Amino acid sequence: MVEEKSKPTTRLDYAIQQVSAANPFIGRCVPEVDMPSKPKMNPNMSVEHQLRNIQRYLVHLQYNFLPCTFFNLDKYRALFRILDTAREVVRESLPIRCLEATYVSLYFTQGMKVDRIPVTFKTLFQKQVCWHIVLAIRSGDRWGALGLSRKDDLMYKKHGFSSLSDLLKNYESAYAGHGHEVTCVKLGLPVSHSSTSQVVPCWRFISLNFRSTGCDRKELFLTVEKFCEMATRLAAEYEKHPMMCRGSERRKRKKRRKKKSDESTTVSPSRKVVVREKRTSTDSEGSVSSESEEERGGVYEEENDDSHDEDANREVIQSILANRSPFRRNQFNSPVTGVSRKVH
């Protein structure tokens, strides 16, 4: 007897039935996709060759065009937790985005004698804010970058730039070619090479405003070069500070504040959905892509930090230009005014 197909009872069942009927792969053998092989990291290889192998692996993972992600994107975790996420990415070999690519880059460069500085770009495209992150690599007096993007010139940069300023200028010109205006660049501190480190990486130590009135580009890039000279010492002081291991607690406090604000706001559930849909991000092409709240917490939550930390950021930049550390022994404040300075 031939079994009769059951009629769909819900809209979801009906949609599944319609998609199944239009699926050209039903009844056909679909070839398995080869898993990308791990990059060869021979210590005898040059740094440029190793970075090229890592970037080739990131490209083989492919960019994730879906509206959701497959991995934990919380940046404010201990480094060993972030490396666990990178191992998960390597094990599953699913498509990723720029932040996961940064995690994987950190994972594969743990044993290399290089400095890894996260660089976050905030750009403007047709009145929409876009965020992107790459991992700048310094070996000796040469700079390069690892990352993943929809555009080839917004991710990997060959290890041959003489300074971080030249690297940033290259990214700025590449963004201009895609119709984006770079409004802000955020530089973190060098990430530790200890795979068991419980310190939360500093994703943003200084913020460079490219749109501020009276912005002197020479002074801006002078700040970058001064920062590069002090970066290693600043990273050592950062890791010794007792507050740096409390990223998870800071994250929980932020979630509690957000939950309280949501409870105090008397809006209907449908209205909340609309608000979340409006909070979208754009990629390097300018196309809007809806991001989950977890991903916004991982990549895009710095959106409202600029005005809050503007005074503190200015004092930190002044300290760097004066070759003076902004850290204090008992509290993490800006050096002159004592304004509380948040490190992300």
Side-chain angles (χ1 to χ4, degrees):
M1 297 179 61
V2 179
E3 296 183 359
E4 295 182 357
K5 294 184 179 180
S6 59
K7 295 183 178 180
T9 57
T10 63
R11 294 178 61 185
L12 178 60
D13 294 337
Y14 179 78
I16 294 176
Q17 191 179 85
Q18 292 293 109
V19 172
S20 299
N23 189 352
F25 297 101
I26 290 182
R28 296 175 57 186
C29 295
V30 181
E32 295 185 0
V33 179
D34 295 334
M35 298 279 285
S37 57
K38 294 183 181 179
K40 295 180 180 180
M41 304 298 294
N42 191 335
N44 297 327
M45 293 181 179
S46 63
V47 173
E48 181 180 352
H49 194 180
Q50 294 183 68
L51 295 180
R52 198 160 51 238
N53 290 343
I54 296 173
Q55 183 62 38
R56 189 179 298 113
Y57 176 79
L58 295 177
V59 174
H60 285 172
L61 289 177
Q62 299 183 1
Y63 190 88
N64 180 15
F65 292 91
L66 297 176
C68 61
T69 57
F70 303 104
F71 307 100
N72 186 357
L73 299 184
D74 185 6
K75 294 192 300 184
Y76 303 113
R77 296 178 289 162
L79 178 60
F80 78 96
R81 297 292 186 189
I82 292 176
L83 296 179
D84 286 342
T85 301
R87 294 187 189 95
E88 184 182 358
V89 173
V90 175
R91 184 174 61 252
E92 301 296 337
S93 296
L94 294 172
I96 58 175
R97 296 181 185 172
C98 58
L99 185 59
E100 300 103 305
T102 304
Y103 291 171
V104 176
S105 301
L106 287 173
Y107 172 68
F108 283 119
T109 55
Q110 277 295 104
M112 297 176 59
K113 295 181 180 180
V114 294
D115 292 331
R116 294 93 50 85
I117 297 179
V119 181
T120 304
F121 295 93
K122 179 182 178 182
T123 61
L124 197 64
F125 178 81
Q126 296 180 353
K127 299 182 179 180
Q128 296 193 23
V129 176
C130 312
W131 293 92
H132 184 48
I133 185 171
V134 296
L135 188 66
I137 306 292
R138 176 173 62 179
S139 176
D141 57 349
R142 293 296 174 182
W143 289 84
L146 295 172
L148 192 64
S149 172
R150 301 187 185 188
K151 294 296 184 180
D152 294 338
D153 53 356
L154 294 179
M155 45 183 186
Y156 173 70
K157 296 297 180 182
K158 188 177 179 180
H159 186 74
F161 291 89
S162 59
S163 64
L164 181 58
S165 299
D166 293 340
L167 181 65
L168 297 181
K169 291 176 183 177
N170 186 280
Y171 274 109
E172 186 180 14
S173 61
Y175 268 116
H178 299 295
H180 284 243
E181 178 189 1
V182 178
T183 60
C184 182
V185 176
K186 301 180 181 182
L187 304 177
L189 291 178
V191 182
S192 171
H193 284 269
S194 174
S195 299
T196 58
S197 174
Q198 298 185 7
V199 177
V200 180
C202 178
W203 298 99
R204 190 208 67 177
F205 185 72
I206 59 173
S207 178
L208 306 173
N209 190 352
F210 279 56
R211 298 189 71 192
S212 60
T213 55
C215 175
D216 187 0
R217 285 304 179 94
K218 290 185 178 180
E219 182 179 353
L220 201 65
F221 291 114
L222 176 62
T223 303
V224 174
E225 297 309 314
K226 286 282 188 179
F227 167 77
C228 294
E229 295 175 0
M230 302 175 60
T232 304
R233 178 163 61 93
L234 292 173
E237 295 181 10
Y238 170 83
E239 293 182 6
K240 292 179 181 179
H241 197 275
M243 289 298 293
M244 297 305 103
C245 300
R246 303 181 182 178
S248 59
E249 296 180 9
R250 183 167 63 249
R251 184 74 172 165
K252 291 177 182 178
R253 288 197 299 270
K254 182 173 181 179
K255 287 185 177 180
R256 285 198 294 267
R257 289 196 299 268
K258 186 178 183 303
K259 185 177 180 181
K260 288 182 181 180
S261 63
D262 290 343
E263 292 176 353
S264 61
T265 306
T266 57
V267 293
S268 61
S270 60
R271 177 58 181 167
K272 287 185 179 180
V273 172
V274 172
V275 172
R276 286 173 182 165
E277 288 179 352
K278 286 183 178 180
R279 294 181 61 183
T280 56
S281 66
T282 55
D283 58 12
S284 59
E285 295 177 340
S287 59
V288 180
S289 60
S290 300
E291 308 292 349
S292 63
E293 290 297 319
E294 186 62 28
E295 180 171 1
R296 292 191 60 85
V299 182
Y300 306 106
E301 69 176 17
E302 297 170 306
E303 191 168 341
N304 299 323
D305 286 350
D306 296 336
S307 59
H308 182 75
D309 288 340
E310 184 177 353
D311 294 335
N313 182 72
R314 188 183 302 112
E315 298 296 341
V316 171
I317 292 178
Q318 291 177 1
S319 299
I320 291 176
L321 290 174
N323 199 23
R324 185 176 66 247
S325 172
F327 289 92
R328 286 186 176 182
R329 180 174 300 177
N330 298 324
Q331 57 184 356
F332 191 55
N333 288 350
S334 59
V336 179
T337 60
V339 179
S340 178
R341 165 72 173 146
K342 289 186 178 180
V343 175
H344 302 290

